[in-house]
Amino acid sequence: MIKLGVCPSTLQSGFDTYSPMARKILFDGRPVSHILDFCSPSNDDADNEAYLKNVGRISLSGVQPKASLVVSSNNRLVRPSDEERGTYILKPAPTSYALLDRKYCPANEHLTMQLASQVYHIETAANAVCFFRDGEAAYICRRFDLGHDGQKYSQEDFASLAGLTSANGGRDFKYSNLSYEECAGIIRQYVRAAPVEILKFFRIVVFNYLTLNDDAHLKNFSLVNRGDGEYHLAPAYDLVNTSLHLRMPGIFALDKGLFREGMDLTDTRTVGRKDFEEFGRRIGISARLVKRELDFFATAHPLAKELIDRSFLSDSLKRNYWLSYDYRRSTLSCNR
């Protein structure tokens, strides 16, 4: 039996399963269990064949398989039937041995998403940690492209909106063609209320720098139309501190970095507040708003340390996460 002392969604202390607040956000108030009725894919279990079949119905992205789930009538997270559309995405730990501490990838993504939501007030996909029957942790998030009535919303990622594929953009088309400055141009092209959404985009880009996410590529940003006839920046998703798992992490996912003409990204110490001030100016955000946002990101927030300490990372990874995050925060200070 897995014993918890924190909510596996909000990381609030004093809970042995999902808190009422988490249940409301994730499951419309239903008392869903944090324990799955099947073992992890890494376990040699008879029901993994059904799991792996289910994986193919969503995607197999990089080294991290994803599966679709629904909530059953008895409040369990289960695989959907052939006629059902999954409302949750399940991401178990990757199986690639090229990754460091790969079993903690779900805890890393969950923590990073909670930091974005709780500390920096960035809209994110509703998310949590859950546990396979054999005790292994997995990451789960609620699909934001589905309405409560099951309606499928229109969603397009930035690679699609830019017309980029492996055929015309190369094998690394998600990383090698555009800068974040040019991504803001995509928002301006397709979104009527562009200034509002560009400010949201700016905050996510700064947050990814702050939390050492160098996998924020073109397919990890989307526009979504939730039925009102207008596109908006989708809630943030796939946020993770990649430095905990990669032997040679970068600074930005996009090879060109922040600027259309590219950046010198050979040394993390060359990137700092001045770059984000220039980035904000270029994408049309006023100097006043840029200062307000960067001051907020540079501020020490006690809740960030609390969430890291309560997370499901190992003690050594908690320390590494905190030290790297705190250093990046210092680079956004006015004094640097």
Side-chain angles (χ1 to χ4, degrees):
M1 176 65 69
I2 299 166
K3 295 184 178 180
L4 302 178
V6 299
C7 167
S9 177
T10 65
L11 294 174
Q12 185 179 357
S13 297
F15 293 95
D16 58 5
T17 186
Y18 299 120
S19 66
M21 179 184 297
R23 288 173 172 173
K24 180 179 179 181
I25 295 171
L26 275 165
F27 309 117
D28 300 323
R30 296 174 64 179
V32 173
S33 173
H34 62 282
I35 306 294
L36 302 173
D37 284 336
F38 48 96
C39 288
S40 66
S42 62
N43 187 294
D44 187 15
D45 189 89
D47 64 1
N48 277 349
E49 183 178 350
Y51 172 85
L52 292 172
K53 177 184 176 183
N54 186 239
V55 165
R57 304 219 309 249
I58 290 287
S59 70
L60 189 64
S61 175
V63 296
Q64 193 166 22
K66 303 175 184 179
S68 182
L69 297 178
V70 296
V71 175
S72 68
S73 58
N74 63 342
N75 296 317
R76 309 289 291 195
L77 287 162
V78 299
R79 308 176 188 90
S81 66
D82 291 340
E83 296 76 28
E84 285 184 292
R85 173 180 282 157
T87 50
Y88 299 89
I89 296 173
L90 177 74
K91 297 168 71 173
T95 56
S96 172
Y97 288 97
L99 297 176
L100 303 171
D101 295 301
R102 55 195 171 88
K103 72 176 182 178
Y104 289 105
C105 285
N108 182 345
E109 184 167 357
H110 170 244
L111 168 62
T112 309
M113 293 283 283
Q114 291 298 317
L115 286 170
S117 176
Q118 294 192 47
V119 179
Y120 296 100
H121 312 302
I122 293 170
E123 184 185 8
T124 62
N127 63 89
V129 169
C130 60
F131 298 88
F132 291 103
R133 190 170 59 202
D134 54 12
E136 187 171 310
Y139 172 81
I140 187 171
C141 68
R142 184 168 183 165
R143 291 179 58 173
F144 55 76
D145 62 337
L146 293 178
H148 290 280
D149 58 358
Q151 177 188 359
K152 178 72 169 66
Y153 299 139
S154 175
Q155 179 187 349
E156 297 287 345
D157 64 55
F158 281 18
S160 298
L161 291 168
L164 289 169
T165 66
S166 58
N168 62 23
R171 183 180 63 180
D172 295 327
F173 71 96
K174 298 183 295 185
Y175 302 93
S176 60
N177 290 279
L178 300 182
S179 65
Y180 291 108
E181 178 184 353
E182 290 165 302
C183 287
I186 293 174
I187 298 174
R188 191 171 290 108
Q189 180 179 354
Y190 289 99
V191 177
R192 184 177 301 174
V196 174
E197 305 305 302
I198 285 175
L199 180 58
K200 294 178 184 178
F201 174 71
F202 176 81
R203 302 187 78 246
I204 295 174
V205 172
V206 176
F207 177 81
N208 282 329
Y209 168 79
L210 186 68
T211 53
L212 288 84
N213 177 14
D214 78 340
D215 200 37
H217 53 69
L218 297 181
K219 284 190 167 294
N220 282 344
F221 293 94
S222 297
L223 298 182
V224 62
N225 180 345
R226 289 174 165 160
D228 61 358
E230 294 188 20
Y231 278 97
H232 302 276
L233 189 66
Y237 56 96
D238 288 359
L239 305 179
V240 63
N241 183 330
T242 53
S243 73
L244 299 188
H245 307 297
L246 300 179
R247 298 180 189 278
M248 297 182 64
I251 301 174
F252 297 109
L254 302 186
D255 293 345
K256 294 167 72 174
L258 297 175
F259 305 130
R260 184 182 301 272
E261 69 275 16
M263 299 175 69
D264 176 11
L265 297 174
T266 57
D267 186 345
T268 184
R269 291 169 296 182
T270 66
V271 178
R273 182 177 177 117
K274 66 182 185 303
D275 297 296
F276 289 100
E277 289 174 338
E278 173 65 12
F279 173 59
R281 184 191 69 78
R282 289 192 184 197
I283 64 177
I285 303 174
S286 71
R288 177 184 63 82
L289 284 179
V290 169
K291 181 180 185 306
R292 183 195 72 182
E293 295 298 331
L294 293 179
D295 286 350
F296 182 66
F297 279 101
T299 298
H301 298 284
L303 179 57
K305 184 65 163 62
E306 293 173 15
L307 291 175
I308 293 171
D309 288 343
R310 293 186 206 140
S311 74
F312 294 95
L313 293 172
S314 67
D315 288 343
S316 62
L317 290 181
K318 289 176 184 178
R319 174 176 169 78
N320 291 344
Y321 198 116
W322 167 252
L323 291 175
S324 59
Y325 158 85
D326 199 45
Y327 171 74
R328 285 284 178 92
R329 185 184 61 78
S330 72
T331 68
L332 297 177
S333 168
C334 290
N335 299 322
R336 290 291 295 244

